[in-house]
Amino acid sequence: MAAATIPQQEAMIQRLGPILLERGLTYRKFGRAFLKKGVTGEVLETIFDGKVETTRTLEEGDWIVRADTAAKERYSLPDAKFRRLYEAVPVPFEDHPDAAELKAEGFEAFQPCGRCLALVADAALLEEHVPGGQFMASWGSPMLVEEGDFLAAPAPPGGKGKPESIGEVYRIEKSAFANTYVAE
């Protein structure tokens, strides 16, 4: 049997956009995240439970995010997304158990204001649309997706309701989703 082809981002938008708009629910990101400016050319791996979810080579202006979850996963955001998804002024985090380590690495804490439209990636959805368990992320690297994870698309920050259209599809690991998103 031939290996499944990894669906490209555009195909994911075409396949899952209508499903997300029809069946997805809106969620608001809560809590705080730790961010610092990245180094151009640095390769960042996002790892959950010892598995590489995706990799991304940082570009000028990108931010490294260290999530405030048990997995302490790291991922990156272009500056424009950072400005859209997080409050501009850092917040104190001296009460955090990892504060000393995070400050030593140059991280600051920021409040999220992002929202997403998401649905659970069940076995039927994955079999039909992501049979190999991966798809191409918007930055051109494969992204892992497993049953129980969430497939998501951006929703307008600070807004209400669903977006008018889907311009990106991404995965949020199930435990990270539970620790950082709440239904609206």
Side-chain angles (χ1 to χ4, degrees), residues 38-118:
V39 176
T40 302
E42 178 181 354
V43 176
L44 182 67
E45 290 184 326
T46 300
I47 300 172
F48 277 97
D49 296 327
K51 293 180 257 179
V52 176
E53 175 190 74
T54 191
T55 61
R56 185 165 182 265
T57 301
L58 301 183
E59 297 176 8
E60 186 175 337
D62 285 352
W63 292 80
I64 296 174
V65 182
R66 200 286 237 156
D68 192 12
T69 62
K72 302 178 183 181
E73 70 276 11
R74 293 180 184 219
Y75 57 95
S76 64
L77 290 176
D79 189 60
K81 277 190 181 180
F82 163 73
R83 293 183 188 286
R84 189 173 70 246
L85 299 176
Y86 289 90
E87 299 294 337
V89 179
V91 296
F93 66 101
E94 289 75 20
D95 62 330
H96 194 278
D98 299 333
E101 173 189 333
L102 289 161
K103 286 182 180 185
E105 283 191 63
F107 284 98
E108 294 181 288
F110 292 88
Q111 291 290 136
C113 56
R115 300 172 60 242
C116 72
L117 179 65

Side-chain angles (χ1 to χ4, degrees), residues 150-178:
F150 285 76
L151 290 167
K160 295 284 183 203
K162 296 181 179 183
E164 292 181 17
S165 63
I166 303 300
E168 176 186 8
V169 174
Y170 53 93
R171 172 252 196 172
I172 304 171
E173 192 272 342
K174 60 185 161 253
S175 65
F177 192 90

